[in-house]
Amino acid sequence: MTKIIRFFVAILMMISPTLPRSLDLPAIPDGQALDLESRFSLVWQDEFEGDSLDKTKWQYNWWEVERKGGYWHEDMVSVKDGNLVIKTAYQSEPLENYYYEKWSDTINFKEYKEGWYTGCISTGGLYEPCFGYFECRAILPKSTGMWSAFWMMNNQVQNVDGSGKDGTEVDIFESMFYKDVWWGAGDAVVSGIVYDGYGADMKNDSIGKFFANNPYEEFNTYGLEWNKNEYIFYINGVETGRLSTGGVSQNPERLILSCEVAGQNGVAHADRHGTGKMSMEPGDTAEFIVDYVRVYEYK
Ligand SMILES: [Ca+2]
Ligand SMILES: [Ca+2]
């Protein structure tokens, strides 16, 4: 089905490259190829070798008790066979009940409940770069009603001053269209930005949806080039789009790998992202598998 839709989209793109996006269809990446070697130098990486998370590079979820329709918990994060694995599964017995105070490293305690558990890791407080090229290589978790993401942010994103220059959430990719074959988006991811506040103050923009290659079964790379003037998004080293809406962040930001379950207050349900109802049942597991995260500076 996706092959037929991709073919249809390719025809539309021959008529006009922006036509799929204007119809809310995913587009095929067809921008400039990234010239990584001549323009950038590798300065930070985690290849996820070994058998545990490197705590000199990452910390576990740093905020919130419940995360949307589930819970973030470090027991859902592991390193094995050269990959980071963030597992999403239903826990009939709640896992140990602690969480990090929002926006801080302070640990608090509150009762966790039965429900969907998943995980998040961040370089917050350990490595917060500003500008460069950021890439992960990953296989996406197979369930509707949830999504994985590789993203960046800092605490200033919540600072409402009319600009994103103090800090912008940059969603390098979010996967939320698993099995969404109706719009042909099943093999697509979305990329975008959120800036100048959350909740009622939130402003955002997106480059739209773009196809990756069989992303729930195979590794693809998802990248962001961030300079003073714009964000440039890539899939497998091919540009998908650019954004600078609201002003580009000029401050350091942390890198984040996460899975989230659609819903609220720890209860899973379909939400505004159109992720639908969770297709997993208790006993099922979805895995977000990350081969590496690499960071490059401009030469
Ligand atoms: Ca701001
Ligand atoms: Ca690896």
Side-chain angles (χ1 to χ4, degrees):
M1 183 66 168
T2 302
K3 272 185 184 162
I4 297 165
I5 292 158
R6 281 181 81 124
F7 180 73
F8 173 65
V9 165
I11 303 283
L12 289 179
M13 288 177 77
M14 280 194 279
I15 301 164
S16 161
T18 56
L19 199 50
R21 192 183 157 184
S22 63
L23 297 171
D24 200 31
L25 287 166
I28 297 163
D30 72 338
Q32 285 180 22
L34 177 70
D35 188 356
L36 195 57
E37 290 212 349
S38 70
R39 295 178 54 223
F40 293 94
S41 309
L42 185 66
V43 289
W44 187 96
Q45 70 198 112
D46 195 342
E47 304 292 327
F48 300 114
E49 299 299 333
D51 55 13
S52 63
L53 189 70
D54 185 345
K55 299 293 287 291
T56 68
K57 291 177 176 165
W58 303 97
Q59 59 159 313
Y60 293 107
N61 54 314
W62 77 101
W63 61 322
E64 296 203 325
V65 194
E66 305 95 356
R67 177 62 180 178
K68 298 182 179 163
Y71 297 91
W72 275 342
H73 199 284
E74 65 184 66
D75 288 2
M76 307 306 284
V77 179
S78 62
V79 173
K80 60 181 181 190
D81 303 327
N83 299 314
L84 172 84
V85 180
I86 300 179
K87 197 167 79 170
T88 304
Y90 195 87
Q91 303 285 350
S92 304
E93 292 293 320
L95 297 182
E96 190 183 0
N97 54 344
Y98 71 89
Y99 70 100
Y100 292 90
E101 183 85 25
K102 199 166 185 175
W103 311 111
S104 88
D105 294 327
T106 307
I107 290 176
N108 276 330
F109 293 87
K110 185 178 172 177
E111 190 184 355
Y112 274 27
K113 296 189 179 121
E114 174 181 355
W116 290 97
Y117 281 67
T118 186
C120 171
I121 60 168
S122 134
T123 63
L126 298 167
Y127 180 62
E128 299 183 3
C130 188
F131 309 133
Y133 176 71
F134 307 85
E135 183 178 273
C136 81
R137 182 170 184 265
I139 297 174
L140 311 181
K142 286 181 266 188
S143 176
T144 60
M146 61 161 292
W147 64 95
S148 58
F150 177 42
W151 48 300
M152 299 185 73
M153 69 168 293
N154 62 18
N155 291 1
Q156 288 77 49
V157 179
Q158 59 182 338
N159 180 36
V160 183
D161 64 349
S163 163
K165 289 182 181 174
D166 44 350
T168 290
E169 176 187 319
V170 186
D171 298 315
I172 300 169
F173 88 85
E174 292 185 290
S175 68
M176 52 185 68
F177 309 117
Y178 180 63
K179 284 193 170 171
D180 184 1
V181 292
W182 178 251
W183 291 106
D187 282 349
V189 297
V190 67
S191 304
I193 57 172
V194 175
Y195 61 98
D196 212 31
Y198 287 111
D201 293 311
M202 188 177 92
K203 295 133 193 112
N204 61 331
D205 199 2
S206 170
I207 59 166
K209 301 170 198 156
F210 285 86
F211 284 116
N213 299 322
N214 200 16
Y216 294 91
E217 302 290 342
E218 294 173 33
F219 282 109
N220 287 255
T221 68
Y222 304 93
L224 168 74
E225 183 178 341
W226 168 25
N227 61 43
K228 275 166 65 175
N229 304 313
E230 59 189 348
Y231 307 107
I232 309 169
F233 300 89
Y234 296 88
I235 294 176
N236 297 320
V238 177
E239 182 182 329
T240 50
R242 299 180 179 215
L243 292 173
S244 58
T245 320
V248 170
S249 174
Q250 308 291 309
N251 282 331
E253 304 211 353
R254 60 178 76 108
L255 290 103
I256 305 166
L257 291 163
S258 66
C259 286
E260 298 178 31
V261 173
Q264 223 176 349
N265 303 322
V267 178
H269 56 74
D271 76 357
R272 66 187 169 80
H273 292 291
T275 48
K277 191 174 174 292
M278 182 159 255
S279 56
M280 284 198 293
E281 300 282 343
D284 295 339
T285 296
E287 290 188 330
F288 179 29
I289 301 167
V290 183
D291 175 22
Y292 66 71
V293 174
R294 294 175 185 162
V295 177
Y296 301 78
E297 279 178 1
Y298 286 99
K299 279 186 179 166

